[in-house]
Amino acid sequence: MSNWQELERKFIMNTVNRVPVTLVRGEGARVWDEDGREYLDFVGGWAVNSLGHCPPVVTEAVTEQVHTLIQASNQFYTVPQIRLAELLVSNSCLDKVFFCNSGAEANEGAVKLARRYGQRHLNGAYEVISAIGSFHGRTLGMVAATGQPRFQEPYIPLPAGFVNVEYNDVEAIKSATTEKTCAVMLEPIQAEGGVNLPDENYLKMVRDWCDQKGILLILDEIQTGIGRVGTLFAYEQYGIEPDIMTLAKGLGSGIPIGAFLAKDRASVFVPGEHGSTFGGNPLACAAAYAVLNFIIDNDIPRNVRKVGQYLVDSLEGLRRKYQFITEVRGRGLLVAMEFKDDIAESLVTACIDKGLLVNRLKPDALRFMPPLIIGYGEVDEALGILDKALSGIG
Ligand SMILES: Cc1ncc(COP(=O)(O)O)c(C=O)c1O
């Protein structure tokens, strides 16, 4: 164990089982550890480094902004925030934006907005229906929204106002809907819960139900948004539009920023009802503007579709080779590989030894969420390493 890892034990709360690698530098899809070892990074800051590590467009935008204006109170107008909001609105189906600093904070804000809508338009309805197997963040409210007992049990009692129902089951949403319901909140594809894809027409049926009941549909696109699944936003692939959408992760390609967007009719906050000191900070917004502009101008979602398909096809090749691989599933560059047994941990270790970082999604599954700018060569390299790791297990 390196000195840094010993110091971590001494000074940092023990909330995560870290992989024994201390990263000190990154460039594109590669990172280096303290001993100068190079790794191909298919974790990508946990689906965050959309343009890879230290992308020049971001470092340039941040460098310029850091010499211009880093932070200003939201009492004042700031240009990067307004420019980014305009870019998000003109490239989505939503009309208004609120900026914050993380995914959980974006979802909290979205739920507050839905409750405010409920107070104004739905006789005080406040309950949000979310799905079992979802992941919406670590605040108390979002732990209640997250339909997974392992995140909830340590914090009981949880805040009221959340109902968790089966994913991919519109009837479950219908049965849970009462006069207290103000919104349904879903990830279009459940990412942390296992890269679970929605069944054909599920999201359309949920949208129809929300319309029928006059309740809001919140889509948590924190992991699926900003090109990750091959379109700028996942909703585009399912023929629906949310009333509220949340973003974070890939939006800043590593610079912390979150946002929630809403249709005009759902944008019911008035001054003083919500806020964030750092939300919409000029530095973060300048970075996110550079990221989003680059993704749109260079049609990065197209690269994601092409390379994502190549990744899935290549993983399918491995599935045919190794009997103990049971399934490959995903969209774009959010892909999981599942096994008969709990071998994900040893595979992660074997891949690290050979220079590849991958995520242990579950004891029996790996997840691949590399930067959106990777090419076929990087997929070939990663799959070569994974093949060797799998052959060592089998
Ligand atoms: C779909 C989804 N929502 C919310 C979050 C929480 O985001 P954050 O960790 O930035 O609070 C995550 C994080 O993995 C996520 O995948």
Side-chain angles (χ1 to χ4, degrees), residues 46 102-105 107 135-137 187 191-192 220 222-223 248-249:
W46 212 275
S102 70
E105 194 188 346
N107 284 338
F135 184 82
H136 296 296
E187 294 162 85
E192 298 304 310
D220 175 345
I222 284 159
Q223 192 150 158
K249 289 198 182 282

Side-chain angles (χ1 to χ4, degrees), residues 46 101-107 134-139 142 185 187 189-192 220-224 246 248-249 257 367:
W46 212 275
N101 308 285
S102 70
E105 194 188 346
N107 284 338
S134 63
F135 184 82
H136 296 296
R138 303 288 199 147
T139 57
M142 287 312 108
M185 179 168 173
E187 294 162 85
I189 297 168
Q190 289 189 332
E192 298 304 310
D220 175 345
E221 293 238 22
I222 284 159
Q223 192 150 158
T224 54
T246 57
K249 289 198 182 282
I257 183 167
R367 176 172 37 172

Side-chain angles (χ1 to χ4, degrees), residues 40-348:
L40 184 55
D41 184 7
F42 271 44
V43 177
W46 212 275
V48 165
N49 296 109
S50 42
L51 300 186
H53 292 275
C54 304
V57 281
V58 174
T59 53
E60 279 157 27
V62 167
T63 305
E64 192 185 330
Q65 192 60 44
V66 95
H67 291 292
T68 310
L69 183 68
I70 296 176
Q71 162 74 3
S73 158
N74 272 316
Q75 273 195 310
F76 304 104
Y77 298 88
T78 51
V79 178
Q81 184 180 126
I82 300 164
R83 288 174 78 202
L84 175 60
E86 184 185 22
L87 193 61
L88 280 166
V89 166
S90 55
N91 286 283
S92 72
C93 65
L94 289 315
D95 303 307
K96 294 281 195 300
V97 188
F98 180 92
F99 290 112
C100 53
N101 308 285
S102 70
E105 194 188 346
N107 284 338
E108 284 283 340
V111 167
K112 282 175 75 180
L113 185 63
R115 284 196 177 193
R116 219 44 207 110
Y117 184 88
Q119 283 185 347
R120 281 168 194 233
H121 299 297
L122 300 169
N123 299 315
Y126 62 91
E127 242 170 40
V128 173
I129 300 173
S130 62
I132 292 169
S134 63
F135 184 82
H136 296 296
R138 303 288 199 147
T139 57
L140 275 176
M142 287 312 108
V143 164
T146 290
Q148 297 196 52
R150 73 190 167 106
F151 294 114
Q152 297 184 328
E153 275 159 11
Y155 302 104
I156 286 167
L158 297 173
F162 296 92
V163 184
N164 306 147
V165 303
E166 279 306 320
Y167 178 64
N168 262 333
D169 183 351
V170 73
E171 293 308 320
I173 290 177
K174 289 183 181 176
S175 318
T177 306
T178 67
E179 71 286 349
K180 289 195 226 141
T181 310
C182 67
V184 174
M185 179 168 173
L186 296 171
E187 294 162 85
I189 297 168
Q190 289 189 332
E192 298 304 310
V195 186
N196 306 321
L197 298 166
D199 286 346
E200 182 82 14
N201 279 334
Y202 170 63
L203 292 169
K204 252 198 174 123
M205 290 189 289
V206 175
R207 174 71 273 178
D208 287 348
W209 177 248
C210 290
D211 289 341
Q212 204 177 314
K213 302 310 269 185
I215 59 180
L216 300 176
L217 176 60
I218 304 170
L219 285 188
D220 175 345
E221 293 238 22
I222 284 159
Q223 192 150 158
T224 54
I226 316 295
R228 171 63 52 190
V229 297
T231 42
L232 197 53
F233 306 108
Y235 74 76
E236 297 168 46
Q237 298 184 33
Y238 295 102
I240 57 152
E241 292 187 354
D243 302 299
I244 303 176
M245 172 174 74
T246 57
L247 300 173
K249 289 198 182 282
L251 180 56
S253 194
I255 303 294
I257 183 167
F260 57 96
L261 289 79
K263 296 268 193 194
D264 268 330
R265 79 178 176 94
S267 299
V268 292
F269 283 148
V270 297
E273 286 184 351
H274 194 54
S276 166
T277 298
F278 293 121
N281 161 288
L283 190 61
C285 287
Y289 182 83
V291 170
L292 194 58
N293 232 352
F294 187 92
I295 286 181
I296 294 164
D297 281 358
N298 295 281
D299 198 0
I300 298 298
R302 183 163 173 270
N303 186 61
V304 172
R305 289 195 296 277
K306 274 185 350 197
V307 179
Q309 190 57 54
Y310 185 68
L311 172 63
V312 168
D313 292 346
S314 309
L315 291 170
E316 280 293 350
L318 291 180
R319 189 178 64 81
R320 285 190 293 274
K321 183 168 171 189
Y322 298 100
Q323 301 294 309
F324 56 89
I325 301 174
T326 52
E327 198 186 352
V328 173
R329 59 176 179 272
R331 275 272 164 119
L333 287 170
L334 180 58
V335 180
M337 177 180 247
E338 199 154 307
F339 310 100
K340 264 200 198 109
D341 301 306
D342 292 353
I343 56 170
E345 190 88 52
S346 13
L347 278 171
V348 167

